[in-house]
Amino acid sequence: MEYMLCYPSSENMNREHCEKVHNILARMSERYKLRIEPEPVKSIYYKCPDFYHRFKIYKPLQESAASGGEAYLSREEEEMILSVCRSPEEEQIMKDCIYAYPNESGMVLKAFRDRGDKRARAGRG
């Protein structure tokens, strides 16, 4: 199966935040007819709360995404994720998520090209 993983940001790990990610992905599933499955996250480094889930987004993978040569989501993937957001807050929540593709050697992490990261902007001169 081809899928992309979405992990909500652990910086703001609370029930409300995780439910927002779940609701946004539910809208994406409806609009694009994708199967999205939540799975509990288990970590050997810290205890994850019962509401913290990662999401498997089953979708055809593009060659560049599967190869791991690019560290960013494709423009189409970014558009797909952001097109169902209803506010700038929801867009930021989804930009803060961690995305990954499994491959034979492990996981290939992906990110938005423009995360809108306030910390990164504050550090620029």
Side-chain angles (χ1 to χ4, degrees):
M1 285 270 164
E2 296 178 333
Y3 61 89
M4 174 175 68
L5 291 169
C6 173
Y7 292 85
S9 171
S10 60
E11 287 183 15
N12 188 15
M13 191 186 304
N14 59 49
R15 188 174 301 276
E16 180 184 358
H17 179 80
C18 291
E19 286 175 0
K20 284 181 182 181
V21 172
H22 185 264
N23 292 337
I24 295 166
L25 290 175
R27 290 195 303 264
M28 190 172 84
S29 175
E30 286 178 26
R31 177 180 279 180
Y32 293 100
K33 307 297 184 223
L34 300 172
R35 188 174 96 211
I36 300 176
E37 296 177 354
E39 295 181 338
V41 175
K42 297 175 182 158
S43 173
I44 60 173
Y45 302 108
Y46 58 92
K47 183 174 178 354
C48 291
D50 63 339
F51 57 81
Y52 186 66
H53 289 81
R54 71 180 185 176
F55 299 88
K56 278 188 177 178
I57 304 168
Y58 290 91
K59 62 184 237 22
L61 300 181
Q62 297 176 353
E63 187 62 34
S64 64
S67 71
E70 178 68 42
Y72 299 107
L73 293 169
S74 71
R75 295 281 182 202
E76 294 81 21
E77 290 166 333
E78 289 182 2
E79 176 61 30
M80 179 179 66
I81 294 166
L82 296 179
S83 69
V84 295
C85 294
R86 295 179 176 162
S87 68
E89 176 194 12
E90 286 188 350
E91 287 184 7
Q92 190 60 50
I93 287 170
M94 296 311 290
K95 286 180 178 182
D96 290 343
C97 289
I98 299 167
Y99 300 91
Y101 286 101
N103 70 13
E104 59 278 350
S105 63
M107 293 292 206
V108 177
L109 299 179
K110 301 285 182 172
F112 276 83
R113 282 172 176 73
D114 173 25
R115 291 188 58 200
D117 197 354
K118 295 175 188 166
R119 292 166 298 180
R121 279 187 261 143
R124 293 184 190 152

